Amino acid sequence: MRIIRARRISYTFSICMLLLLAMASAFHLTRVFDAATFVVNTTADTEDANPGNGICQDSSGNCSLRAAIMEANAFAGNDVITLPAGTYTLTITGQNEQSSLTGDLDITSNIVINGAGSTATVVQAGVTEGSGIDRVFDIRESSIAEIKNLKIRHGLINSTGGGLRVEATGVVGLTLFNVDISDNGATGASGGGVSIASMATGSLVTIDSSRIGDNISTGTRGGGIINFSPNGELHLINSTVIGNLLNSTGAAGGGGIGVRSQSSTTIINTNITFNAVSTSSVTEDTYGGGISLIEQSLVSLSGGSVSNNGVKSNGSNSGYAGGIHNQDATLSITNSTVGSNSSATVYGGVRTSGFNSPATTTITSSVIENNSARDAGAGVANSASGATAVTTIVNSLIRNNTFTDTFAEGGGLFNRSSGANSATTNITNSTISGHAFDWNSECDDCCTHIHNFSIGLTNFDMMLYSGTGVKYSILYYQRNKFTCICRIWKYGECGCILCM
């Protein structure tokens, strides 16, 4: 009986071990099919011979970048593509195809593409700038993609996103790390470098430690980046947006970055510099050489700078805000510098405009300096027409902003309402000084340091708003427990109405 019982125990143990081994084997197989790694071994642009079989292999037995993406798209799981140093040129022509068979590289699954560095690994849509057969990457469907350590260049498309586009009906995630997106073009459409398109509702795109530079768009928004994903988010971190151009035939905004359609953009420790907006139209205007935000979108800028950007005018049109233009949206600037931006006509640094919807700008612990404009609002401008506009300045320095027109208005601060809606500027613990065309001769002690709508007062709680029309503004502020009410006329003349 003991022998039989021992044999039963041994048999049961063996069955259990077999079951455990089977489960372990099944688990191992599941892990294998959940995540595959493909190592690219050719720079040629070739198709995968049998997508979905788990093997990256073209008709010659090599694993190309296109073949690896095709296999990863068909192969379930979170797949990794290793892309060694080299230049990978797309050569298979055919746009508007969504399976990566031709044209751009369509990503429809969860994929990580890891290069050898942004100068060592180059993925390009053409050998030279302007010769691209398509954009380079198209992030589609409900994919979660991560692209690291490579350069994306020479994309060219008569649509949005010259270098890379995010477009899908579902939620899409994309992370770019140490990626250089440069020398791409979108003709007749927005986003010369990157487009986060309107179909990608709720998408999250993170661009970290990257460069978006020297791209061009001939559309309406975003020479470098356009974010118009409704309720979507763009996080731009530790990066540089430089040398991008928005060159339109009509109204245009956002030489570096354009934000619209209730989308959200968070910019942290990023420099936005030497971007520009121009138009060939003699009647349409240009906006926001560095950043343009419209349509109830949201931009938060923390750290870094917006500098040396510009807007150009042509004929009778105007260039608005060389640095940042906020129309009908919400802007927050914290611990940042907006400097040395220029406008061919009005508003050099930051302009807030309530046009169709309320606009709000908050500037905290920041410096707005050395910006220039021809006519008005060289530093900070706040204006209301079809809706209210509110600018709040806290613990900040507005200094050394200049004009080119002798009879310009608002060297440091310009505030105006051209209709029934109010334009309000609140200033706390800030200094606004050192601007062109100081004019004190007509002012008594109550209005000392009023410079063409710029206010050179320090550590006072103030509110500046305009009366009906454009002839004068009213300044309320507290000084040594006195409340001063001043009327500031155009070109700097001011008079004290009441001190009490």
PDB file of all heavy atoms in Angstrom, residues 290-327:
ATOM      1  N   GLY A 290       7.016  83.844 -32.624  1.00  0.00           N
ATOM      2  CA  GLY A 290       7.408  82.682 -31.836  1.00  0.00           C
ATOM      3  C   GLY A 290       6.271  81.706 -31.623  1.00  0.00           C
ATOM      4  O   GLY A 290       6.363  80.534 -31.990  1.00  0.00           O
ATOM      5  N   ILE A 291       5.168  82.210 -31.037  1.00  0.00           N
ATOM      6  CA  ILE A 291       4.010  81.366 -30.708  1.00  0.00           C
ATOM      7  C   ILE A 291       2.731  82.118 -31.053  1.00  0.00           C
ATOM      8  O   ILE A 291       2.600  83.308 -30.758  1.00  0.00           O
ATOM      9  CB  ILE A 291       3.979  80.999 -29.212  1.00  0.00           C
ATOM     10  CG1 ILE A 291       5.273  80.310 -28.778  1.00  0.00           C
ATOM     11  CG2 ILE A 291       2.786  80.109 -28.888  1.00  0.00           C
ATOM     12  CD1 ILE A 291       5.378  80.101 -27.279  1.00  0.00           C
ATOM     13  N   SER A 292       1.783  81.428 -31.630  1.00  0.00           N
ATOM     14  CA  SER A 292       0.434  81.954 -31.845  1.00  0.00           C
ATOM     15  C   SER A 292      -0.569  80.968 -31.272  1.00  0.00           C
ATOM     16  O   SER A 292      -0.513  79.776 -31.569  1.00  0.00           O
ATOM     17  CB  SER A 292       0.157  82.156 -33.342  1.00  0.00           C
ATOM     18  OG  SER A 292      -1.219  82.442 -33.562  1.00  0.00           O
ATOM     19  N   LEU A 293      -1.471  81.468 -30.413  1.00  0.00           N
ATOM     20  CA  LEU A 293      -2.528  80.610 -29.873  1.00  0.00           C
ATOM     21  C   LEU A 293      -3.877  81.270 -30.079  1.00  0.00           C
ATOM     22  O   LEU A 293      -4.041  82.463 -29.854  1.00  0.00           O
ATOM     23  CB  LEU A 293      -2.286  80.290 -28.395  1.00  0.00           C
ATOM     24  CG  LEU A 293      -2.151  81.416 -27.379  1.00  0.00           C
ATOM     25  CD1 LEU A 293      -2.575  80.932 -25.996  1.00  0.00           C
ATOM     26  CD2 LEU A 293      -0.722  81.940 -27.305  1.00  0.00           C
ATOM     27  N   ILE A 294      -4.843  80.490 -30.544  1.00  0.00           N
ATOM     28  CA  ILE A 294      -6.173  80.997 -30.854  1.00  0.00           C
ATOM     29  C   ILE A 294      -7.213  79.960 -30.442  1.00  0.00           C
ATOM     30  O   ILE A 294      -6.892  78.882 -29.957  1.00  0.00           O
ATOM     31  CB  ILE A 294      -6.328  81.320 -32.363  1.00  0.00           C
ATOM     32  CG1 ILE A 294      -6.116  80.058 -33.213  1.00  0.00           C
ATOM     33  CG2 ILE A 294      -5.362  82.402 -32.789  1.00  0.00           C
ATOM     34  CD1 ILE A 294      -6.418  80.263 -34.693  1.00  0.00           C
ATOM     35  N   GLU A 295      -8.485  80.313 -30.644  1.00  0.00           N
ATOM     36  CA  GLU A 295      -9.627  79.389 -30.525  1.00  0.00           C
ATOM     37  C   GLU A 295      -9.689  78.672 -29.176  1.00  0.00           C
ATOM     38  O   GLU A 295      -9.817  77.456 -29.095  1.00  0.00           O
ATOM     39  CB  GLU A 295      -9.599  78.374 -31.679  1.00  0.00           C
ATOM     40  CG  GLU A 295      -9.729  79.031 -33.030  1.00  0.00           C
ATOM     41  CD  GLU A 295      -9.516  78.073 -34.193  1.00  0.00           C
ATOM     42  OE1 GLU A 295      -9.042  76.941 -33.959  1.00  0.00           O
ATOM     43  OE2 GLU A 295      -9.827  78.460 -35.331  1.00  0.00           O
ATOM     44  N   GLN A 296      -9.596  79.440 -28.097  1.00  0.00           N
ATOM     45  CA  GLN A 296      -9.771  78.928 -26.736  1.00  0.00           C
ATOM     46  C   GLN A 296      -8.781  77.821 -26.392  1.00  0.00           C
ATOM     47  O   GLN A 296      -9.076  76.935 -25.593  1.00  0.00           O
ATOM     48  CB  GLN A 296     -11.205  78.452 -26.528  1.00  0.00           C
ATOM     49  CG  GLN A 296     -12.227  79.556 -26.743  1.00  0.00           C
ATOM     50  CD  GLN A 296     -13.655  79.072 -26.628  1.00  0.00           C
ATOM     51  OE1 GLN A 296     -13.920  77.984 -26.139  1.00  0.00           O
ATOM     52  NE2 GLN A 296     -14.593  79.887 -27.077  1.00  0.00           N
ATOM     53  N   SER A 297      -7.620  77.869 -26.991  1.00  0.00           N
ATOM     54  CA  SER A 297      -6.566  76.922 -26.650  1.00  0.00           C
ATOM     55  C   SER A 297      -5.822  77.403 -25.407  1.00  0.00           C
ATOM     56  O   SER A 297      -6.072  78.492 -24.885  1.00  0.00           O
ATOM     57  CB  SER A 297      -5.605  76.746 -27.825  1.00  0.00           C
ATOM     58  OG  SER A 297      -5.057  77.996 -28.210  1.00  0.00           O
ATOM     59  N   LEU A 298      -4.892  76.591 -24.948  1.00  0.00           N
ATOM     60  CA  LEU A 298      -4.174  76.869 -23.712  1.00  0.00           C
ATOM     61  C   LEU A 298      -2.689  76.647 -23.928  1.00  0.00           C
ATOM     62  O   LEU A 298      -2.274  75.594 -24.409  1.00  0.00           O
ATOM     63  CB  LEU A 298      -4.677  75.960 -22.589  1.00  0.00           C
ATOM     64  CG  LEU A 298      -3.899  75.976 -21.273  1.00  0.00           C
ATOM     65  CD1 LEU A 298      -4.031  77.323 -20.590  1.00  0.00           C
ATOM     66  CD2 LEU A 298      -4.398  74.861 -20.350  1.00  0.00           C
ATOM     67  N   VAL A 299      -1.875  77.641 -23.553  1.00  0.00           N
ATOM     68  CA  VAL A 299      -0.417  77.505 -23.606  1.00  0.00           C
ATOM     69  C   VAL A 299       0.156  77.912 -22.263  1.00  0.00           C
ATOM     70  O   VAL A 299      -0.154  78.978 -21.731  1.00  0.00           O
ATOM     71  CB  VAL A 299       0.201  78.369 -24.725  1.00  0.00           C
ATOM     72  CG1 VAL A 299       1.724  78.401 -24.591  1.00  0.00           C
ATOM     73  CG2 VAL A 299      -0.187  77.833 -26.093  1.00  0.00           C
ATOM     74  N   SER A 300       1.002  77.038 -21.715  1.00  0.00           N
ATOM     75  CA  SER A 300       1.715  77.319 -20.482  1.00  0.00           C
ATOM     76  C   SER A 300       3.209  77.281 -20.775  1.00  0.00           C
ATOM     77  O   SER A 300       3.729  76.267 -21.235  1.00  0.00           O
ATOM     78  CB  SER A 300       1.360  76.284 -19.406  1.00  0.00           C
ATOM     79  OG  SER A 300       2.170  76.458 -18.259  1.00  0.00           O
ATOM     80  N   LEU A 301       3.891  78.404 -20.509  1.00  0.00           N
ATOM     81  CA  LEU A 301       5.320  78.531 -20.782  1.00  0.00           C
ATOM     82  C   LEU A 301       6.050  78.705 -19.461  1.00  0.00           C
ATOM     83  O   LEU A 301       5.808  79.661 -18.728  1.00  0.00           O
ATOM     84  CB  LEU A 301       5.561  79.730 -21.696  1.00  0.00           C
ATOM     85  CG  LEU A 301       6.992  80.091 -22.060  1.00  0.00           C
ATOM     86  CD1 LEU A 301       7.594  79.015 -22.936  1.00  0.00           C
ATOM     87  CD2 LEU A 301       7.030  81.438 -22.773  1.00  0.00           C
ATOM     88  N   SER A 302       6.953  77.779 -19.150  1.00  0.00           N
ATOM     89  CA  SER A 302       7.680  77.825 -17.883  1.00  0.00           C
ATOM     90  C   SER A 302       9.158  77.564 -18.135  1.00  0.00           C
ATOM     91  O   SER A 302       9.529  76.500 -18.645  1.00  0.00           O
ATOM     92  CB  SER A 302       7.122  76.778 -16.912  1.00  0.00           C
ATOM     93  OG  SER A 302       7.850  76.772 -15.703  1.00  0.00           O
ATOM     94  N   GLY A 303       9.992  78.523 -17.763  1.00  0.00           N
ATOM     95  CA  GLY A 303      11.411  78.390 -18.032  1.00  0.00           C
ATOM     96  C   GLY A 303      11.703  78.615 -19.499  1.00  0.00           C
ATOM     97  O   GLY A 303      10.810  78.717 -20.341  1.00  0.00           O
ATOM     98  N   GLY A 304      12.962  78.718 -19.850  1.00  0.00           N
ATOM     99  CA  GLY A 304      13.324  78.911 -21.239  1.00  0.00           C
ATOM    100  C   GLY A 304      13.045  80.319 -21.721  1.00  0.00           C
ATOM    101  O   GLY A 304      12.915  81.260 -20.933  1.00  0.00           O
ATOM    102  N   SER A 305      12.931  80.474 -23.030  1.00  0.00           N
ATOM    103  CA  SER A 305      12.787  81.813 -23.594  1.00  0.00           C
ATOM    104  C   SER A 305      12.064  81.777 -24.929  1.00  0.00           C
ATOM    105  O   SER A 305      12.025  80.754 -25.618  1.00  0.00           O
ATOM    106  CB  SER A 305      14.167  82.447 -23.793  1.00  0.00           C
ATOM    107  OG  SER A 305      14.919  81.721 -24.752  1.00  0.00           O
ATOM    108  N   VAL A 306      11.500  82.948 -25.275  1.00  0.00           N
ATOM    109  CA  VAL A 306      10.964  83.206 -26.605  1.00  0.00           C
ATOM    110  C   VAL A 306      11.713  84.440 -27.099  1.00  0.00           C
ATOM    111  O   VAL A 306      11.474  85.549 -26.621  1.00  0.00           O
ATOM    112  CB  VAL A 306       9.447  83.448 -26.577  1.00  0.00           C
ATOM    113  CG1 VAL A 306       8.923  83.758 -27.971  1.00  0.00           C
ATOM    114  CG2 VAL A 306       8.719  82.242 -25.990  1.00  0.00           C
ATOM    115  N   SER A 307      12.653  84.261 -28.018  1.00  0.00           N
ATOM    116  CA  SER A 307      13.567  85.360 -28.346  1.00  0.00           C
ATOM    117  C   SER A 307      13.902  85.406 -29.829  1.00  0.00           C
ATOM    118  O   SER A 307      13.905  84.388 -30.526  1.00  0.00           O
ATOM    119  CB  SER A 307      14.868  85.211 -27.549  1.00  0.00           C
ATOM    120  OG  SER A 307      15.545  84.011 -27.911  1.00  0.00           O
ATOM    121  N   ASN A 308      14.157  86.633 -30.298  1.00  0.00           N
ATOM    122  CA  ASN A 308      14.634  86.874 -31.669  1.00  0.00           C
ATOM    123  C   ASN A 308      13.693  86.326 -32.739  1.00  0.00           C
ATOM    124  O   ASN A 308      14.134  85.928 -33.818  1.00  0.00           O
ATOM    125  CB  ASN A 308      16.030  86.275 -31.853  1.00  0.00           C
ATOM    126  CG  ASN A 308      17.070  86.937 -30.974  1.00  0.00           C
ATOM    127  OD1 ASN A 308      17.417  88.103 -31.155  1.00  0.00           O
ATOM    128  ND2 ASN A 308      17.535  86.201 -29.971  1.00  0.00           N
ATOM    129  N   ASN A 309      12.400  86.311 -32.446  1.00  0.00           N
ATOM    130  CA  ASN A 309      11.400  85.927 -33.433  1.00  0.00           C
ATOM    131  C   ASN A 309      10.806  87.194 -34.062  1.00  0.00           C
ATOM    132  O   ASN A 309      10.926  88.287 -33.506  1.00  0.00           O
ATOM    133  CB  ASN A 309      10.297  85.104 -32.778  1.00  0.00           C
ATOM    134  CG  ASN A 309      10.848  83.880 -32.074  1.00  0.00           C
ATOM    135  OD1 ASN A 309      11.222  82.904 -32.710  1.00  0.00           O
ATOM    136  ND2 ASN A 309      10.909  83.926 -30.741  1.00  0.00           N
ATOM    137  N   GLY A 310      10.138  87.050 -35.193  1.00  0.00           N
ATOM    138  CA  GLY A 310       9.599  88.231 -35.835  1.00  0.00           C
ATOM    139  C   GLY A 310       8.406  87.968 -36.719  1.00  0.00           C
ATOM    140  O   GLY A 310       8.180  86.842 -37.184  1.00  0.00           O
ATOM    141  N   VAL A 311       7.610  89.038 -36.928  1.00  0.00           N
ATOM    142  CA  VAL A 311       6.509  89.008 -37.889  1.00  0.00           C
ATOM    143  C   VAL A 311       6.718  90.136 -38.892  1.00  0.00           C
ATOM    144  O   VAL A 311       7.110  91.240 -38.537  1.00  0.00           O
ATOM    145  CB  VAL A 311       5.133  89.151 -37.202  1.00  0.00           C
ATOM    146  CG1 VAL A 311       4.754  87.883 -36.490  1.00  0.00           C
ATOM    147  CG2 VAL A 311       5.108  90.327 -36.235  1.00  0.00           C
ATOM    148  N   LYS A 312       6.449  89.818 -40.163  1.00  0.00           N
ATOM    149  CA  LYS A 312       6.639  90.783 -41.232  1.00  0.00           C
ATOM    150  C   LYS A 312       5.302  91.157 -41.837  1.00  0.00           C
ATOM    151  O   LYS A 312       4.349  90.386 -41.818  1.00  0.00           O
ATOM    152  CB  LYS A 312       7.553  90.194 -42.313  1.00  0.00           C
ATOM    153  CG  LYS A 312       8.937  89.815 -41.814  1.00  0.00           C
ATOM    154  CD  LYS A 312       9.776  89.196 -42.922  1.00  0.00           C
ATOM    155  CE  LYS A 312      11.148  88.796 -42.418  1.00  0.00           C
ATOM    156  NZ  LYS A 312      11.961  88.160 -43.489  1.00  0.00           N
ATOM    157  N   SER A 313       5.230  92.360 -42.371  1.00  0.00           N
ATOM    158  CA  SER A 313       4.010  92.805 -43.046  1.00  0.00           C
ATOM    159  C   SER A 313       4.317  93.054 -44.513  1.00  0.00           C
ATOM    160  O   SER A 313       5.474  93.150 -44.927  1.00  0.00           O
ATOM    161  CB  SER A 313       3.473  94.084 -42.394  1.00  0.00           C
ATOM    162  OG  SER A 313       4.430  95.126 -42.495  1.00  0.00           O
ATOM    163  N   ASN A 314       3.243  93.150 -45.287  1.00  0.00           N
ATOM    164  CA  ASN A 314       3.395  93.331 -46.726  1.00  0.00           C
ATOM    165  C   ASN A 314       2.251  94.211 -47.209  1.00  0.00           C
ATOM    166  O   ASN A 314       1.090  93.834 -47.079  1.00  0.00           O
ATOM    167  CB  ASN A 314       3.386  91.977 -47.436  1.00  0.00           C
ATOM    168  CG  ASN A 314       3.635  92.105 -48.919  1.00  0.00           C
ATOM    169  OD1 ASN A 314       4.375  92.981 -49.349  1.00  0.00           O
ATOM    170  ND2 ASN A 314       3.013  91.248 -49.704  1.00  0.00           N
ATOM    171  N   GLY A 315       2.561  95.354 -47.728  1.00  0.00           N
ATOM    172  CA  GLY A 315       1.508  96.251 -48.185  1.00  0.00           C
ATOM    173  C   GLY A 315       0.802  96.920 -47.023  1.00  0.00           C
ATOM    174  O   GLY A 315       1.431  97.450 -46.109  1.00  0.00           O
ATOM    175  N   SER A 316      -0.525  96.844 -47.011  1.00  0.00           N
ATOM    176  CA  SER A 316      -1.302  97.538 -45.986  1.00  0.00           C
ATOM    177  C   SER A 316      -1.631  96.656 -44.791  1.00  0.00           C
ATOM    178  O   SER A 316      -2.342  97.072 -43.885  1.00  0.00           O
ATOM    179  CB  SER A 316      -2.616  98.045 -46.597  1.00  0.00           C
ATOM    180  OG  SER A 316      -3.400  96.960 -47.085  1.00  0.00           O
ATOM    181  N   ASN A 317      -1.119  95.427 -44.767  1.00  0.00           N
ATOM    182  CA  ASN A 317      -1.447  94.550 -43.648  1.00  0.00           C
ATOM    183  C   ASN A 317      -0.560  94.853 -42.455  1.00  0.00           C
ATOM    184  O   ASN A 317       0.330  95.705 -42.506  1.00  0.00           O
ATOM    185  CB  ASN A 317      -1.317  93.082 -44.066  1.00  0.00           C
ATOM    186  CG  ASN A 317       0.132  92.686 -44.310  1.00  0.00           C
ATOM    187  OD1 ASN A 317       0.986  93.529 -44.537  1.00  0.00           O
ATOM    188  ND2 ASN A 317       0.395  91.391 -44.278  1.00  0.00           N
ATOM    189  N   SER A 318      -0.784  94.122 -41.339  1.00  0.00           N
ATOM    190  CA  SER A 318      -0.031  94.358 -40.117  1.00  0.00           C
ATOM    191  C   SER A 318       0.626  93.077 -39.632  1.00  0.00           C
ATOM    192  O   SER A 318       0.126  91.971 -39.859  1.00  0.00           O
ATOM    193  CB  SER A 318      -0.958  94.891 -39.012  1.00  0.00           C
ATOM    194  OG  SER A 318      -1.456  96.169 -39.347  1.00  0.00           O
ATOM    195  N   GLY A 319       1.754  93.246 -38.945  1.00  0.00           N
ATOM    196  CA  GLY A 319       2.392  92.153 -38.246  1.00  0.00           C
ATOM    197  C   GLY A 319       2.156  92.322 -36.764  1.00  0.00           C
ATOM    198  O   GLY A 319       2.533  93.346 -36.182  1.00  0.00           O
ATOM    199  N   TYR A 320       1.498  91.367 -36.125  1.00  0.00           N
ATOM    200  CA  TYR A 320       1.123  91.471 -34.720  1.00  0.00           C
ATOM    201  C   TYR A 320       1.980  90.531 -33.863  1.00  0.00           C
ATOM    202  O   TYR A 320       1.950  89.319 -34.047  1.00  0.00           O
ATOM    203  CB  TYR A 320      -0.345  91.095 -34.525  1.00  0.00           C
ATOM    204  CG  TYR A 320      -1.335  92.059 -35.137  1.00  0.00           C
ATOM    205  CD1 TYR A 320      -1.932  91.787 -36.367  1.00  0.00           C
ATOM    206  CD2 TYR A 320      -1.673  93.231 -34.478  1.00  0.00           C
ATOM    207  CE1 TYR A 320      -2.848  92.664 -36.926  1.00  0.00           C
ATOM    208  CE2 TYR A 320      -2.592  94.118 -35.033  1.00  0.00           C
ATOM    209  CZ  TYR A 320      -3.168  93.828 -36.253  1.00  0.00           C
ATOM    210  OH  TYR A 320      -4.073  94.696 -36.803  1.00  0.00           O
ATOM    211  N   ALA A 321       2.738  91.090 -32.938  1.00  0.00           N
ATOM    212  CA  ALA A 321       3.449  90.344 -31.897  1.00  0.00           C
ATOM    213  C   ALA A 321       4.582  89.485 -32.450  1.00  0.00           C
ATOM    214  O   ALA A 321       4.368  88.348 -32.872  1.00  0.00           O
ATOM    215  CB  ALA A 321       2.497  89.498 -31.059  1.00  0.00           C
ATOM    216  N   GLY A 322       5.767  90.044 -32.389  1.00  0.00           N
ATOM    217  CA  GLY A 322       6.931  89.288 -32.806  1.00  0.00           C
ATOM    218  C   GLY A 322       7.192  88.081 -31.923  1.00  0.00           C
ATOM    219  O   GLY A 322       7.694  87.061 -32.388  1.00  0.00           O
ATOM    220  N   GLY A 323       6.853  88.176 -30.627  1.00  0.00           N
ATOM    221  CA  GLY A 323       7.098  87.083 -29.706  1.00  0.00           C
ATOM    222  C   GLY A 323       5.943  86.108 -29.591  1.00  0.00           C
ATOM    223  O   GLY A 323       5.988  85.005 -30.147  1.00  0.00           O
ATOM    224  N   ILE A 324       4.892  86.514 -28.848  1.00  0.00           N
ATOM    225  CA  ILE A 324       3.746  85.631 -28.588  1.00  0.00           C
ATOM    226  C   ILE A 324       2.455  86.399 -28.854  1.00  0.00           C
ATOM    227  O   ILE A 324       2.271  87.506 -28.337  1.00  0.00           O
ATOM    228  CB  ILE A 324       3.743  85.121 -27.136  1.00  0.00           C
ATOM    229  CG1 ILE A 324       5.080  84.459 -26.787  1.00  0.00           C
ATOM    230  CG2 ILE A 324       2.597  84.151 -26.913  1.00  0.00           C
ATOM    231  CD1 ILE A 324       5.194  84.051 -25.334  1.00  0.00           C
ATOM    232  N   HIS A 325       1.567  85.792 -29.617  1.00  0.00           N
ATOM    233  CA  HIS A 325       0.261  86.399 -29.878  1.00  0.00           C
ATOM    234  C   HIS A 325      -0.841  85.491 -29.341  1.00  0.00           C
ATOM    235  O   HIS A 325      -0.975  84.344 -29.755  1.00  0.00           O
ATOM    236  CB  HIS A 325       0.046  86.629 -31.368  1.00  0.00           C
ATOM    237  CG  HIS A 325      -1.167  87.470 -31.671  1.00  0.00           C
ATOM    238  ND1 HIS A 325      -2.400  86.931 -31.922  1.00  0.00           N
ATOM    239  CD2 HIS A 325      -1.324  88.815 -31.722  1.00  0.00           C
ATOM    240  CE1 HIS A 325      -3.272  87.901 -32.141  1.00  0.00           C
ATOM    241  NE2 HIS A 325      -2.654  89.060 -32.025  1.00  0.00           N
ATOM    242  N   ASN A 326      -1.618  86.007 -28.401  1.00  0.00           N
ATOM    243  CA  ASN A 326      -2.722  85.277 -27.789  1.00  0.00           C
ATOM    244  C   ASN A 326      -4.032  85.922 -28.206  1.00  0.00           C
ATOM    245  O   ASN A 326      -4.349  87.034 -27.779  1.00  0.00           O
ATOM    246  CB  ASN A 326      -2.581  85.301 -26.264  1.00  0.00           C
ATOM    247  CG  ASN A 326      -3.824  84.782 -25.550  1.00  0.00           C
ATOM    248  OD1 ASN A 326      -4.701  84.175 -26.153  1.00  0.00           O
ATOM    249  ND2 ASN A 326      -3.902  85.035 -24.245  1.00  0.00           N
ATOM    250  N   GLN A 327      -4.795  85.241 -29.030  1.00  0.00           N
ATOM    251  CA  GLN A 327      -6.116  85.727 -29.440  1.00  0.00           C
ATOM    252  C   GLN A 327      -7.179  84.730 -29.010  1.00  0.00           C
ATOM    253  O   GLN A 327      -7.146  83.565 -29.414  1.00  0.00           O
ATOM    254  CB  GLN A 327      -6.181  85.934 -30.948  1.00  0.00           C
ATOM    255  CG  GLN A 327      -7.554  86.409 -31.437  1.00  0.00           C
ATOM    256  CD  GLN A 327      -7.566  86.728 -32.914  1.00  0.00           C
ATOM    257  OE1 GLN A 327      -6.807  87.567 -33.388  1.00  0.00           O
ATOM    258  NE2 GLN A 327      -8.423  86.031 -33.668  1.00  0.00           N
TER     259      GLN A 327
END
